[in-house]
Amino acid sequence: MQATMEIVAKALSVDYSKVLRFIPADHELEMEAGVGWDVSNTVPYRVPADLDSQAGFTLMSEKPVVVEDLSLETRFSGPQLLIDHHVTSGVSVIIGQLEDPYGVMGVHTITHRFFSHKDVEFLQSVANVLASTINQHHISQELEESEMRYRLLAENASDMISTHNLDTQYTYASPYSFELIGYLPEELEGKLAGRFIHPDDLENVVKTQENILDTKKVNTLNYRLKHKNGNYVWVESTARILNPQNGEMIVITRDISERIRAEQKLKRSEAKYRTIFENTGTVIAIIEPDGMVTVLNQKFKEVFGISTEEVVGKKRWYDFIYKDDVKVMEEFQRRRIAGDKDLPDSYDFRFWDVNGNLKHAFINVDLIPGTDNILASISDVTSLKETESKLKEELSINKSLACIYTPLVTPDSGMGQIGEAVLREAKKLTNSKYGYVSSTDWETTQSDHGSISTTVDCQNNLVAPHWRKEHVESYPGLWGHCLNTREAFFTNSPQSHPSSQGTPRDHITLKNFLSVPVLLGDELVGQIALANTENQYQEEDVKAITRLAEFYALAIQKKRSDDKIRNSLKDKEILLQEIHHRVKNNMQIISSLLNLQSSFIKDPEAIDVFRESQNRVKSMALLHENLYQSRDMDRVDFKQYVKKLTDNLLITYSASAGHIHREIRVEDVKLNIETAIPCGLIINELLTNSLKYAFPNGEKGTLFLKIYAKDDKYVLLLGDDGVGLPENFDPESTQTLGLRLVHNLVNQIDGHLKIIPGEGTCFEIMFQELQYKKRI
């Protein structure tokens, strides 16, 4: 470049010549070569690329600039270098393209000189040649650098780069070939590629090569190469035509053995989890925020009755959900997506299957990380819900029966009291507003007018009709339907029922109606009728009331026996003994029924209720057995009775009573049956409580029971040295059935209950023997 400047200065006979290179980053021009200039500073000389210099003005003008007299120049100023060298005239031209100039070339004279058009053209031509030379130099330099870079890439790449001729011989292989298949590059050159390819993959590789030659497109293929040690390596090769004229091809090959192993492992894992997914026993679904179902397993068809193909991507999850549960589920999903952490992960809901059956399900949900999609696991719990419902119904029925059997077995209870108890429990079980319990048994009703009703719920205005038995061929209307057919029934549209004859003007409006006959064998002895439940009557209601009807029939049967005994003065003692025997047998039947029923129950609470009810029945049965076996039909040997009662309870709770010592001291006390039954039930309840709660976790302890006479009264002391009662315990306000029963029974015998303070629990009950009512 310096030689060029010297030639230019000599050719144009000028005092100075120079080349200034443009530095865009600094917006300056730096002197690279020159003739005549006194620039002794070690720092390269620079001028601004703006109006402060002739060179900068040339760049901005984008054309040659001629100066005849620098001192008269107004287009730009300076620069100081020209002034210091007494420059008067000069020419400057751009080196290179206007859009990307290399710099500026300039010539200057001290004396005034007029530069001709040819002078300017000459200078521009030299600048153009110089620009071309510089550009060519840059291209050569970049090519050299590029070749070096690609050579370095090829030599150091973690893939094997190779070239092949039309016959698939190696013409070049990068050093990575040794890492990949154990051969040095020079060992591969001139070798056919096919000899290293797995025989099973060779045909596919050949077809791919032919396709590349035909289409001139890049192709990628997975296959196996034989390593020098004899093993095969899975590789992925990307190939393209390098020289279309001779068919030379470049191939980049990388080791994908780990990936293939990972893919195979993934496939095995996918197969395993797919098996789990399809055989997990629950419905698995992925649900998008709008409710669209995107993934389902085959369990869905089994539960919902619809194939997954009909649902995935076509139906929303909420299309299957019971409408009352849809809003709850949508709200849960909205809050879950919003990040609410207080939502339940699991809950129950209802859904419709393909046949329109309403079912129950249990769902467990969670957000899929990184998405708003929900992963749901759904179990069909319809059978479980039905079983749970039946258990609850059974428990309710047995609680009702427990409330009925006290008046049922109490000698002084009349049919009115028993009927009222049956009616109260029947309405409670069915949520009915109105009802009546009636009897067709003339011998037990003792009604001069032949009324069907021994108990009528007059306050609720559903009144049983009256008739004379000898005049009735068939019973009319809804209330007579079950009496005629001897079968229970219900209707939730009474006006449209075939037997309906309307209702009297002042009668209540019937919204729904249920009636159950009371049968003793084949004999019709009564009826239980109910109306206007809160919802609708169902078969379960009929079954529950039928159970009550059986108890009511038992009451009628017992009443018949009682009446016969009262009417047989001559056989009084024999018949009295018989009734005790029958009552004892009935109690045993009831106890057996409770025991049989409890075997079908799994709920511990329900089993406990059955066991307590069974013990109460047994306590009364023991009394009747005592009377039946005694010569004294009016008095109960309480000492013998208490021993049998405590033995029975300890057997019942043998699992928790083995570590308990008992101290029982009963004087020779004989009580009439009216006093003995409540006392027996009181002892049963208090001993049961001690056995169940006084000694938790198998703790040892003592139960004590004392009965003795004091003046004209009796004292019953019963308790234990266990954990004691809760603080502020009040037997009158307790909610447990047993202690409420104790409180009522104490009142029944006109007794006084007192809790003795101290360690453990001690109840003191002081009472008098009730006046024995005459039996005739």
Side-chain angles (χ1 to χ4, degrees):
M1 190 177 293
Q2 180 64 29
T4 301
M5 290 298 96
E6 292 175 356
I7 293 171
V8 168
K10 185 175 182 180
L12 293 178
S13 302
V14 295
D15 300 307
Y16 307 106
S17 65
K18 66 178 183 300
V19 171
L20 298 175
R21 180 169 58 86
F22 179 50
I23 304 174
D26 299 332
H27 201 63
E28 290 182 333
L29 293 155
E30 181 179 284
M31 185 180 294
E32 278 201 340
V35 174
W37 306 102
D38 182 13
V39 185
S40 58
N41 196 333
T42 56
V43 179
Y45 174 74
R46 288 189 176 190
V47 295
D50 54 22
L51 295 179
D52 287 338
S53 68
Q54 180 180 344
F57 181 74
T58 303
L59 283 178
M60 295 173 65
S61 300
E62 296 183 349
K63 61 183 179 179
V65 175
V66 179
V67 178
E68 291 187 12
D69 190 340
L70 185 62
S71 61
L72 300 176
E73 186 57 58
T74 59
R75 293 173 294 177
F76 53 85
S77 61
Q80 192 63 39
L81 180 67
L82 299 185
I83 296 172
D84 291 344
H85 285 77
H86 310 290
V87 170
T88 300
S89 302
V91 179
S92 56
V93 296
I94 297 173
I95 304 171
Q97 302 295 323
L98 295 177
E99 60 273 13
D100 185 23
Y102 178 79
V104 176
M105 180 183 290
V107 294
H108 304 277
T109 62
I110 297 174
T111 59
H112 184 275
R113 175 174 171 175
F114 174 76
F115 287 96
S116 66
H117 182 67
K118 289 184 178 181
D119 294 337
V120 175
E121 285 184 350
F122 172 76
L123 188 62
Q124 184 65 68
S125 297
V126 174
N128 292 343
V129 171
L130 181 60
S132 178
T133 302
I134 292 171
N135 186 53
Q136 187 64 37
H137 175 73
H138 284 170
I139 292 173
S140 299
Q141 188 176 20
E142 288 176 358
L143 181 60
E144 195 173 309
E145 291 175 354
S146 176
E147 288 179 350
M148 179 61 70
R149 282 197 299 271
Y150 286 117
R151 171 62 66 177
L152 288 173
L153 285 173
E155 298 295 334
N156 296 280
S158 58
D159 298 334
M160 183 177 80
I161 301 172
S162 59
T163 57
H164 305 260
N165 59 24
L166 192 59
D167 296 328
T168 71
Q169 290 176 318
Y170 282 98
T171 57
Y172 168 79
S174 65
Y176 190 73
S177 62
F178 184 78
E179 290 286 336
L180 183 64
I181 55 175
Y183 291 95
L184 295 171
E186 52 268 26
E187 293 180 281
L188 293 177
E189 290 182 13
K191 302 291 192 304
L192 291 172
R195 62 177 290 188
F196 302 98
I197 297 173
H198 193 287
D200 294 344
D201 300 334
L202 184 58
E203 182 180 354
N204 198 21
V205 173
V206 171
K207 288 182 179 179
T208 302
Q209 180 189 13
E210 293 172 351
N211 185 58
I212 295 172
L213 293 171
D214 291 340
T215 63
K216 306 297 188 292
K217 293 182 179 179
V218 177
N219 272 257
T220 300
L221 180 66
N222 296 344
Y223 59 98
R224 286 161 289 182
L225 280 178
K226 190 173 184 179
H227 194 277
K228 195 172 185 178
N229 61 16
N231 296 325
Y232 281 93
V233 180
W234 273 101
V235 297
E236 178 187 80
S237 290
T238 301
R240 61 171 296 168
I241 293 295
L242 187 63
N243 189 337
Q245 280 72 32
N246 59 15
E248 187 178 13
M249 190 177 299
I250 184 170
V251 180
I252 300 174
T253 304
R254 64 177 49 187
D255 186 350
I256 60 168
S257 300
E258 286 296 327
R259 191 180 84 189
I260 293 295
R261 282 192 288 269
E263 287 176 354
Q264 291 172 345
K265 185 177 179 181
L266 179 61
K267 286 180 181 178
R268 290 193 296 270
S269 177
E270 284 179 349
K272 179 178 73 174
Y273 286 109
R274 170 58 65 177
T275 302
I276 296 173
F277 178 74
E278 293 295 350
N279 297 280
T280 185
T282 62
V283 176
I284 304 295
I286 295 178
I287 305 166
E288 294 186 344
D290 63 355
M292 183 62 69
V293 180
T294 55
V295 176
L296 277 178
N297 64 353
Q298 294 300 319
K299 185 70 175 179
F300 181 85
K301 182 176 181 181
E302 180 181 331
V303 175
F304 286 77
I306 308 175
S307 67
T308 57
E309 292 78 11
E310 296 178 80
V311 178
V312 173
K314 299 174 183 177
K315 291 186 180 292
R316 296 173 72 247
W317 174 247
Y318 305 114
D319 295 341
F320 305 97
I321 309 304
Y322 184 64
K323 63 179 181 180
D324 291 347
D325 296 340
V326 168
K327 289 184 179 179
V328 175
M329 296 185 77
E330 288 180 329
E331 177 64 13
F332 278 3
Q333 182 162 346
R334 183 190 65 77
R335 290 171 57 189
R336 186 170 284 106
I337 291 173
D340 192 337
K341 302 297 184 182
D342 297 328
L343 292 174
D345 294 330
S346 306
Y347 52 89
D348 295 334
F349 71 95
R350 291 162 290 179
F351 68 92
W352 299 102
D353 67 8
V354 71
N355 297 317
N357 299 316
L358 184 62
K359 293 187 174 182
H360 293 267
F362 180 79
I363 186 170
N364 185 282
V365 296
D366 200 359
L367 281 178
I368 298 176
T371 74
D372 289 338
N373 295 341
I374 282 179
L375 177 66
S377 174
I378 305 104
S379 301
D380 184 354
V381 295
T382 304
S383 298
L384 183 63
K385 284 288 183 180
E386 290 175 352
T387 302
E388 181 181 331
S389 177
K390 289 178 181 178
L391 287 174
K392 288 181 178 178
E393 290 171 6
E394 189 65 30
L395 181 60
S396 298
I397 293 170
N398 284 292
K399 284 182 177 178
S400 294
L401 295 176
C403 294
I404 294 171
Y405 76 68
T406 299
L408 176 65
V409 299
T410 301
D412 290 337
S413 296
M415 290 302 296
Q417 291 174 290
I418 297 172
E420 287 173 0
V422 171
L423 177 60
R424 180 179 63 252
E425 297 304 322
K427 289 168 64 178
K428 186 189 301 182
L429 283 174
T430 59
N431 291 318
S432 297
K433 190 173 183 181
Y434 307 113
Y436 65 79
V437 173
S438 60
S439 169
T440 61
D441 185 11
W442 286 72
E443 294 180 358
T444 57
T445 58
Q446 299 177 355
S447 171
D448 294 337
H449 300 288
S451 171
I452 192 174
S453 270
T454 58
T455 298
V456 177
D457 192 5
C458 296
Q459 292 181 342
N460 289 329
N461 300 319
L462 183 61
V463 180
H466 296 66
W467 76 95
R468 289 187 179 276
K469 183 176 180 182
E470 62 269 22
H471 295 155
V472 175
E473 295 180 359
S474 64
Y475 303 115
L478 278 175
W479 64 269
H481 182 70
C482 84
L483 301 177
N484 296 324
T485 62
R486 306 292 180 90
E487 294 180 354
F489 85 104
F490 69 89
T491 174
N492 291 307
S493 54
Q495 290 74 21
S496 62
H497 193 271
S499 66
S500 176
Q501 295 180 356
T503 55
R505 179 181 301 175
D506 297 331
H507 201 280
I508 62 167
T509 301
L510 295 182
K511 296 180 180 177
N512 39 44
F513 185 80
L514 180 150
S515 182
V516 174
V518 180
L519 300 171
L520 272 175
D522 295 331
E523 181 185 0
L524 176 68
V525 295
Q527 177 186 27
I528 301 175
L530 300 163
N532 295 7
T533 182
E534 292 181 2
N535 299 312
Q536 289 187 332
Y537 289 119
Q538 298 178 359
E539 287 294 339
E540 289 75 11
D541 297 316
V542 172
K543 294 176 182 177
I545 304 306
T546 300
R547 296 277 297 280
L548 298 189
E550 292 170 356
F551 258 59
Y552 188 51
L554 183 62
I556 293 174
Q557 184 183 43
K558 176 179 179 295
K559 196 66 177 177
R560 284 179 174 180
S561 299
D562 290 345
D563 289 344
K564 289 178 181 179
I565 292 172
R566 287 190 183 95
N567 294 328
S568 302
L569 295 176
K570 185 178 179 181
D571 300 323
K572 173 186 172 185
E573 294 301 326
I574 297 175
L575 293 176
L576 187 58
Q577 187 179 32
E578 179 65 15
I579 193 170
H580 285 307
H581 180 56
R582 290 194 179 192
V583 172
K584 186 262 298 184
N585 287 344
N586 285 336
M587 294 299 100
Q588 287 180 337
I589 290 171
I590 294 171
S591 177
S592 298
L593 287 173
L594 290 172
N595 185 53
L596 179 62
Q597 186 66 45
S598 66
S599 66
F600 294 93
I601 304 300
K602 302 301 181 183
D603 182 25
E605 181 181 356
I607 293 173
D608 198 42
V609 170
F610 272 78
R611 183 163 61 178
E612 290 180 1
S613 299
Q614 189 178 9
N615 287 335
R616 292 175 186 130
V617 172
K618 284 182 178 179
S619 71
M620 291 181 286
L622 285 172
L623 277 169
H624 290 283
E625 183 180 23
N626 188 296
L627 288 170
Y628 170 71
Q629 295 174 350
S630 174
R631 293 182 180 180
D632 187 355
M633 301 295 295
D634 295 329
R635 318 288 295 176
V636 175
D637 184 347
F638 219 65
K639 184 175 184 178
Q640 183 183 17
Y641 167 71
V642 168
K643 184 180 184 305
K644 289 182 178 180
L645 179 61
T646 54
D647 287 344
N648 177 68
L649 286 174
L650 288 171
I651 290 171
T652 301
Y653 293 97
S654 58
S656 58
H659 55 281
I660 298 175
H661 176 67
R662 55 176 170 167
E663 294 180 1
I664 299 175
R665 299 176 185 175
V666 181
E667 294 183 359
D668 292 328
V669 175
K670 291 190 176 183
L671 300 174
N672 60 38
I673 191 168
E674 293 187 352
T675 309
I677 286 178
C679 284
L681 287 171
I682 290 170
I683 293 171
N684 177 80
E685 296 301 324
L686 294 180
L687 278 179
T688 297
N689 273 356
S690 292
L691 288 170
K692 287 175 62 178
Y693 307 116
F695 308 104
N697 303 320
E699 295 178 4
K700 295 183 178 180
T702 301
L703 291 176
F704 59 88
L705 190 158
K706 298 179 183 178
I707 302 177
Y708 59 94
K710 185 178 182 181
D711 300 328
D712 60 341
K713 296 183 179 181
Y714 294 96
V715 177
L716 167 62
L717 283 174
L718 196 153
D720 56 73
D721 59 357
V723 297
L725 295 170
E727 293 184 7
N728 303 320
F729 176 78
D730 184 2
E732 295 185 8
S733 61
T734 182
Q735 296 299 311
T736 61
L737 176 62
L739 292 178
R740 286 175 62 188
L741 184 59
V742 169
H743 177 72
N744 292 337
L745 292 170
V746 169
N747 290 337
Q748 184 176 325
I749 60 175
D750 296 328
H752 177 70
L753 172 66
K754 183 168 67 173
I755 299 175
I756 306 300
E759 184 176 352
T761 302
C762 181
F763 292 92
E764 180 188 86
I765 300 170
M766 187 172 290
F767 63 96
Q768 285 181 311
E769 187 177 34
L770 297 177
Q771 184 179 357
Y772 208 106
K773 294 181 181 179
K774 292 183 179 180
R775 298 178 182 271
I776 56 173

mmCIF file of all heavy atoms in Angstrom, residues 478 481 489-491 493-501:
data_model
loop_
_atom_site.group_PDB
_atom_site.id
_atom_site.type_symbol
_atom_site.label_atom_id
_atom_site.label_comp_id
_atom_site.label_asym_id
_atom_site.label_seq_id
_atom_site.Cartn_x
_atom_site.Cartn_y
_atom_site.Cartn_z
ATOM 1 N N LEU A 478 -107.786 -45.514 48.938
ATOM 2 C CA LEU A 478 -106.359 -45.785 49.062
ATOM 3 C C LEU A 478 -106.041 -46.549 50.336
ATOM 4 O O LEU A 478 -105.231 -47.476 50.344
ATOM 5 C CB LEU A 478 -105.565 -44.460 49.052
ATOM 6 C CG LEU A 478 -105.269 -43.824 47.704
ATOM 7 C CD1 LEU A 478 -104.609 -42.480 47.914
ATOM 8 C CD2 LEU A 478 -104.354 -44.726 46.882
ATOM 9 N N HIS A 481 -106.604 -50.302 50.071
ATOM 10 C CA HIS A 481 -105.954 -51.086 49.018
ATOM 11 C C HIS A 481 -105.069 -52.192 49.598
ATOM 12 O O HIS A 481 -105.145 -53.354 49.185
ATOM 13 C CB HIS A 481 -105.122 -50.165 48.124
ATOM 14 C CG HIS A 481 -104.450 -50.875 46.987
ATOM 15 N ND1 HIS A 481 -105.148 -51.384 45.923
ATOM 16 C CD2 HIS A 481 -103.141 -51.175 46.774
ATOM 17 C CE1 HIS A 481 -104.305 -51.956 45.083
ATOM 18 N NE2 HIS A 481 -103.071 -51.846 45.580
ATOM 19 N N PHE A 489 -97.850 -51.153 49.725
ATOM 20 C CA PHE A 489 -97.706 -50.393 48.477
ATOM 21 C C PHE A 489 -97.459 -48.930 48.814
ATOM 22 O O PHE A 489 -97.659 -48.478 49.951
ATOM 23 C CB PHE A 489 -98.961 -50.539 47.610
ATOM 24 C CG PHE A 489 -100.064 -49.562 47.950
ATOM 25 C CD1 PHE A 489 -100.325 -48.452 47.149
ATOM 26 C CD2 PHE A 489 -100.839 -49.746 49.094
ATOM 27 C CE1 PHE A 489 -101.322 -47.564 47.481
ATOM 28 C CE2 PHE A 489 -101.849 -48.869 49.417
ATOM 29 C CZ PHE A 489 -102.099 -47.758 48.617
ATOM 30 N N PHE A 490 -97.017 -48.184 47.793
ATOM 31 C CA PHE A 490 -96.908 -46.728 47.920
ATOM 32 C C PHE A 490 -97.227 -46.116 46.569
ATOM 33 O O PHE A 490 -97.116 -46.771 45.518
ATOM 34 C CB PHE A 490 -95.507 -46.308 48.384
ATOM 35 C CG PHE A 490 -94.415 -46.520 47.364
ATOM 36 C CD1 PHE A 490 -94.086 -45.539 46.441
ATOM 37 C CD2 PHE A 490 -93.720 -47.728 47.331
ATOM 38 C CE1 PHE A 490 -93.087 -45.743 45.516
ATOM 39 C CE2 PHE A 490 -92.723 -47.946 46.387
ATOM 40 C CZ PHE A 490 -92.402 -46.942 45.475
ATOM 41 N N THR A 491 -97.641 -44.878 46.581
ATOM 42 C CA THR A 491 -97.874 -44.119 45.346
ATOM 43 C C THR A 491 -97.444 -42.683 45.587
ATOM 44 O O THR A 491 -97.726 -42.100 46.646
ATOM 45 C CB THR A 491 -99.346 -44.171 44.919
ATOM 46 O OG1 THR A 491 -99.522 -43.290 43.794
ATOM 47 C CG2 THR A 491 -100.288 -43.723 46.038
ATOM 48 N N SER A 493 -98.326 -40.411 43.335
ATOM 49 C CA SER A 493 -99.378 -39.625 42.673
ATOM 50 C C SER A 493 -100.717 -40.239 43.086
ATOM 51 O O SER A 493 -101.329 -40.990 42.317
ATOM 52 C CB SER A 493 -99.186 -39.636 41.159
ATOM 53 O OG SER A 493 -99.106 -40.960 40.673
ATOM 54 N N PRO A 494 -101.174 -39.964 44.312
ATOM 55 C CA PRO A 494 -102.351 -40.638 44.866
ATOM 56 C C PRO A 494 -103.609 -40.472 44.009
ATOM 57 O O PRO A 494 -104.407 -41.403 43.892
ATOM 58 C CB PRO A 494 -102.522 -39.962 46.228
ATOM 59 C CG PRO A 494 -101.176 -39.416 46.557
ATOM 60 C CD PRO A 494 -100.570 -39.025 45.262
ATOM 61 N N GLN A 495 -103.815 -39.311 43.426
ATOM 62 C CA GLN A 495 -105.052 -39.059 42.678
ATOM 63 C C GLN A 495 -105.194 -39.974 41.465
ATOM 64 O O GLN A 495 -106.306 -40.275 41.024
ATOM 65 C CB GLN A 495 -105.106 -37.582 42.235
ATOM 66 C CG GLN A 495 -105.305 -36.594 43.369
ATOM 67 C CD GLN A 495 -104.056 -36.399 44.215
ATOM 68 O OE1 GLN A 495 -102.956 -36.693 43.760
ATOM 69 N NE2 GLN A 495 -104.234 -35.928 45.444
ATOM 70 N N SER A 496 -104.062 -40.426 40.910
ATOM 71 C CA SER A 496 -104.117 -41.262 39.715
ATOM 72 C C SER A 496 -104.067 -42.754 40.034
ATOM 73 O O SER A 496 -104.077 -43.572 39.115
ATOM 74 C CB SER A 496 -102.969 -40.894 38.768
ATOM 75 O OG SER A 496 -101.713 -41.121 39.382
ATOM 76 N N HIS A 497 -103.995 -43.111 41.312
ATOM 77 C CA HIS A 497 -103.933 -44.526 41.670
ATOM 78 C C HIS A 497 -105.292 -45.176 41.410
ATOM 79 O O HIS A 497 -106.342 -44.577 41.683
ATOM 80 C CB HIS A 497 -103.543 -44.678 43.137
ATOM 81 C CG HIS A 497 -103.159 -46.071 43.509
ATOM 82 N ND1 HIS A 497 -104.068 -47.003 43.933
ATOM 83 C CD2 HIS A 497 -101.949 -46.705 43.509
ATOM 84 C CE1 HIS A 497 -103.459 -48.143 44.187
ATOM 85 N NE2 HIS A 497 -102.153 -47.984 43.945
ATOM 86 N N PRO A 498 -105.341 -46.417 40.891
ATOM 87 C CA PRO A 498 -106.619 -47.069 40.541
ATOM 88 C C PRO A 498 -107.604 -47.172 41.705
ATOM 89 O O PRO A 498 -108.817 -47.131 41.501
ATOM 90 C CB PRO A 498 -106.184 -48.460 40.073
ATOM 91 C CG PRO A 498 -104.769 -48.288 39.641
ATOM 92 C CD PRO A 498 -104.181 -47.236 40.511
ATOM 93 N N SER A 499 -107.104 -47.267 42.936
ATOM 94 C CA SER A 499 -108.009 -47.429 44.077
ATOM 95 C C SER A 499 -108.469 -46.106 44.666
ATOM 96 O O SER A 499 -109.281 -46.088 45.587
ATOM 97 C CB SER A 499 -107.315 -48.254 45.164
ATOM 98 O OG SER A 499 -106.211 -47.544 45.683
ATOM 99 N N SER A 500 -107.961 -45.001 44.150
ATOM 100 C CA SER A 500 -108.282 -43.698 44.726
ATOM 101 C C SER A 500 -109.750 -43.352 44.492
ATOM 102 O O SER A 500 -110.285 -43.529 43.404
ATOM 103 C CB SER A 500 -107.385 -42.616 44.117
ATOM 104 O OG SER A 500 -107.750 -41.350 44.598
ATOM 105 N N GLN A 501 -110.407 -42.845 45.566
ATOM 106 C CA GLN A 501 -111.789 -42.363 45.463
ATOM 107 C C GLN A 501 -111.886 -40.911 45.927
ATOM 108 O O GLN A 501 -112.955 -40.420 46.280
ATOM 109 C CB GLN A 501 -112.708 -43.242 46.335
ATOM 110 C CG GLN A 501 -112.795 -44.687 45.860
ATOM 111 C CD GLN A 501 -113.692 -45.533 46.732
ATOM 112 O OE1 GLN A 501 -114.205 -45.078 47.757
ATOM 113 N NE2 GLN A 501 -113.895 -46.780 46.320
#
